[in-house]
Amino acid sequence: MGLNTTYTARTFDLSDLNGISNETLAMHFKLYEGYVTNTNVLNQRIADLIGDGELDPTQSAAFSELKRRFGFEYNGMVLHEYYFDNMQKQGTGDPFSNSAFIGAAEASFGSYEIWKADFVNTGKMRGVGWAAVYQDPSNGSISNHWINLHETGNVAGFKPILIMDVWEHAFIRDYAPVDRPKYIEAFFSNINWTTVNARLG
Ligand SMILES: [Fe+2]
């Protein structure tokens, strides 16, 4: 995103998911739109500080704080887009046995079941953040990562394959905080494996 770029919030054709209510989705879309708005606002404020190319030294602390928040909002925007994109109405649960994702999971973890156990347990980790499957473009292997908040833990240059929001706002209307595993189960039943397979390089 250059200083002249502005993002527009996307819409997602999601409703009537298994175990994730339409009210949760509506609230979540609003939160996502907030990340888009804040990404644009921070970008504009940074552009204003930079002005014609010289940063006033008295503004360096303000600039640094804006840049830090920029990483938070920007990753928040992008991760939500991957998350909504990798769900679908009438999901089918686990991927088909001969799919690209199964192949990647077997090559990188030994089996889909071991991959899933590692991913689900990543999603259950205490804290605020995301569970993410990334692919290493240098060798095609996939790995599961915990992303703290939105910006800590993403691997530079790795490709997002499957993104699961485990912030409490993703499920608090449908499940108690201690029931995050039930939300994860619901999330799995809504995964759009066609999208996930297409992301694999
Ligand atoms: Fe979220």
Side-chain angles (χ1 to χ4, degrees):
M1 181 181 204
L3 292 179
N4 294 329
T5 307
T6 302
Y7 281 97
T8 303
R10 293 176 47 205
T11 55
F12 302 89
D13 183 24
L14 288 179
S15 61
D16 305 322
L17 297 178
N18 304 315
I20 299 173
S21 66
N22 288 338
E23 290 72 25
T24 290
L25 279 175
M27 179 273 301
H28 212 165
F29 292 147
K30 284 280 175 217
L31 277 175
Y32 155 69
E33 288 166 14
Y35 285 108
V36 178
T37 299
N38 279 298
T39 298
N40 290 330
V41 166
L42 287 171
N43 200 39
Q44 185 56 54
R45 289 183 63 188
I46 289 167
D48 291 344
L49 280 184
I50 289 293
D52 57 8
E54 284 291 330
L55 180 67
D56 183 331
T58 64
Q59 299 286 354
S60 66
F63 178 86
S64 301
E65 183 55 24
L66 290 170
K67 273 291 177 189
R68 265 190 281 276
R69 293 186 187 195
F70 188 58
F72 175 82
E73 301 288 350
Y74 206 154
N75 278 291
M77 175 182 77
V78 171
L79 286 173
H80 277 103
E81 290 174 353
Y82 276 100
Y83 169 71
F84 293 132
D85 274 340
N86 62 214
M87 289 195 289
Q88 67 174 353
K89 302 175 189 175
Q90 287 123 26
T92 53
D94 291 325
F96 297 114
S97 57
N98 60 352
S99 66
F101 188 83
I102 292 278
E106 289 174 347
S108 302
F109 286 83
S111 72
Y112 171 77
E113 288 70 27
I114 295 172
W115 165 80
K116 186 173 180 177
D118 185 68
F119 184 76
V120 167
N121 281 288
T122 304
K124 289 178 186 174
M125 284 171 55
R126 294 174 65 77
V128 178
W130 303 73
V133 181
Y134 281 118
Q135 185 177 36
D136 181 346
S138 75
N139 60 16
S141 70
I142 61 170
S143 45
N144 297 327
H145 300 265
W146 170 258
I147 311 304
N148 216 45
L149 298 175
H150 304 307
E151 71 275 40
T152 306
N154 297 290
V155 186
F158 276 28
K159 194 175 177 192
I161 303 299
L162 175 64
I163 299 293
M164 178 170 68
D165 193 343
V166 292
W167 284 56
E168 285 180 359
H169 67 240
F171 60 87
I172 197 70
R173 282 169 173 255
D174 305 321
Y175 304 97
V178 294
D179 286 332
R180 195 195 292 182
K182 291 182 182 171
Y183 156 73
I184 293 173
E185 206 175 302
F187 170 80
F188 258 81
S189 71
N190 295 302
I191 292 175
N192 185 334
W193 289 107
T194 303
T195 295
V196 172
N197 285 324
R199 287 176 181 165
L200 284 165

